[in-house]
Amino acid sequence: MDKKFWITQEPINPNDCIEKVVRHEAGAVNTFIGTVREFTKGKRTLFLEYQAYIPMAEKKLLQIGEEIREKWGEADTAIVHRIGRLDITDAAVVIAVSTPHRHDAFEASRYAIERIKEIVPIWKKEYWEDGTKWIGDQKENTSYEKDIPSEEEMRDG
Amino acid sequence: MDKKFWITQEPINPNDCIEKVVRHEAGAVNTFIGTVREFTKGKRTLFLEYQAYIPMAEKKLLQIGEEIREKWGEADTAIVHRIGRLDITDAAVVIAVSTPHRHDAFEASRYAIERIKEIVPIWKKEYWEDGTKWIGDQKENTSYEKDIPSEEEMRDG
């Protein structure tokens, strides 16, 4: 896997991201891992299903890496997002950012996860004890009760 | 290795920390890795040497975990610091903090690295191209040109 920004169906090993950004110029690596939590506001999740338009999603992840490089000139970033069925405690997303000094690594990593939730076309379906629901955009401002938008709708949107 | 706060002489695998904090209640894990940087203010580091009073250092790492639990009630923390000779890009310290929501994971992880540099008795000797120097406290406010304090001096300090 040579890509630094990719979507996978396989379990994620955080080291796959970390190793891509460790380098002589860096003194700090910040890693953010989003894992599947069992309870949300008292409601129990059994498992999740993520879907993505893979080429579009990878392009957006790459864009986030470029935005980080513009904002933090010496930062190097790798991001992987998993799709398919994920069980409780599985890693859904791993971000690794290396910088010369630690402050920037924290800031850039934080920026990356917020941007992923804003612009990357990945949908999450919650399987609760009492039903299922597609969660719309990842900031959960828009809800798609029945289905996610088609690829064509995405392109027009 | 059952400890969640420990000193090691061996290379660190970040997963050793991450696995200790992943759990059903957590939706976020923030990991901070401090790596050996080659250049500091234009000066080239060849390698580093860390020394610690191990039981004291592990006690202080545990204390930091307890402080985090007090400040972020639902946080779970693991920290490992390596000692001995470290080469460029080697991980000197790995922190992993899991929390239900991501904001707290970033904040607590940031807190941990700052506190490590404030209170944990670990000394760093820089081996530059043109000489060596013990770096005093990790915030680099105090310098020990020749040697680190003895264990007795530490206890009295």
Side-chain angles (χ1 to χ4, degrees):
Chain A
M1 174 54 64
D2 288 335
K3 285 184 189 175
K4 286 170 70 179
F5 302 92
W6 76 106
I7 303 294
T8 183
Q9 306 239 23
E10 305 299 320
I12 304 172
N13 179 344
N15 285 339
D16 293 344
C17 270
I18 294 168
E19 285 164 5
K20 286 180 202 286
V21 301
V22 167
R23 60 208 158 95
H24 282 223
E25 297 78 12
V29 179
N30 191 277
T31 303
F32 178 79
I33 306 169
T35 56
V36 180
R37 192 178 55 228
E38 187 169 15
F39 288 95
T40 298
K41 294 172 188 163
K43 206 163 176 176
R44 187 180 184 185
T45 297
L46 300 178
F47 61 93
L48 296 182
E49 184 190 332
Y50 284 93
Q51 283 191 20
Y53 299 122
I54 295 177
M56 241 191 270
E58 291 188 339
K59 202 172 144 189
K60 288 294 184 183
L61 293 178
L62 173 64
Q63 178 189 322
I64 293 168
E66 289 168 349
E67 289 175 6
I68 287 173
R69 181 58 66 97
E70 276 170 32
K71 288 174 182 286
W72 295 274
E74 298 176 289
D76 199 12
T77 307
I79 307 174
V80 54
H81 203 300
R82 186 172 166 196
I83 56 172
R85 176 185 162 139
L86 274 76
D87 292 309
I88 306 301
T89 77
D90 280 353
V93 60
V94 176
I95 297 159
V97 184
S98 69
T99 58
H101 302 283
R102 66 185 179 277
H103 180 74
D104 289 347
F106 278 95
E107 295 290 310
S109 172
R110 183 69 199 258
Y111 177 85
I113 185 62
E114 300 303 328
R115 286 297 276 161
I116 287 170
K117 289 175 181 286
E118 280 168 11
I119 68 167
V120 182
I122 296 176
W123 289 270
K124 178 168 83 170
K125 190 174 191 173
E126 291 263 6
Y127 287 80
W128 286 308
E129 284 181 308
D130 60 352
T132 69
K133 185 181 176 186
W134 280 104
I135 306 298
D137 62 82
Q138 290 203 62
K139 287 264 185 184
E140 304 188 10
N141 297 322
T142 310
S143 170
Y144 301 89
E145 292 291 338
K146 293 187 177 159
D147 209 353
I148 60 177
S150 70
E151 193 160 353
E152 287 66 32
E153 285 169 333
M154 282 296 305
R155 286 218 184 86
D156 297 341
Chain B
M1 176 52 65
D2 289 333
K3 285 184 191 175
K4 287 171 72 180
F5 302 91
W6 76 105
I7 303 294
T8 183
Q9 306 238 22
E10 304 301 318
I12 304 172
N13 179 343
N15 285 340
D16 293 344
C17 269
I18 293 167
E19 285 164 7
K20 287 181 202 285
V21 301
V22 168
R23 61 208 158 95
H24 282 223
E25 297 78 13
V29 180
N30 191 277
T31 303
F32 178 79
I33 306 168
T35 55
V36 180
R37 193 177 57 228
E38 186 169 14
F39 287 96
T40 298
K41 295 173 188 163
K43 205 162 177 178
R44 186 181 185 186
T45 297
L46 300 177
F47 61 92
L48 297 181
E49 185 190 332
Y50 284 91
Q51 282 192 20
Y53 298 120
I54 295 177
M56 241 192 268
E58 292 188 337
K59 202 172 145 190
K60 288 294 183 182
L61 293 178
L62 173 65
Q63 178 189 324
I64 293 168
E66 289 169 348
E67 289 176 4
I68 287 173
R69 181 58 66 95
E70 276 169 34
K71 288 174 181 288
W72 295 274
E74 297 177 290
D76 199 14
T77 307
I79 307 174
V80 54
H81 203 300
R82 186 172 166 195
I83 57 172
R85 177 184 162 140
L86 275 76
D87 292 309
I88 307 301
T89 77
D90 280 353
V93 60
V94 175
I95 297 160
V97 184
S98 69
T99 57
H101 302 284
R102 66 185 178 278
H103 179 74
D104 289 346
F106 278 96
E107 295 291 310
S109 171
R110 183 68 200 259
Y111 177 84
I113 185 63
E114 300 303 327
R115 286 297 276 160
I116 288 170
K117 288 175 184 284
E118 280 168 11
I119 68 167
V120 182
I122 296 177
W123 290 268
K124 179 169 82 171
K125 189 173 191 173
E126 291 263 7
Y127 288 80
W128 286 308
E129 284 182 307
D130 60 352
T132 68
K133 185 182 176 186
W134 280 104
I135 307 298
D137 62 89
Q138 290 203 62
K139 288 264 183 185
E140 303 190 10
N141 297 322
T142 310
S143 171
Y144 300 88
E145 293 291 338
K146 293 190 179 158
D147 209 350
I148 60 178
S150 69
E151 194 161 353
E152 286 65 34
E153 284 169 335
M154 281 296 304
R155 287 216 185 88
D156 297 339

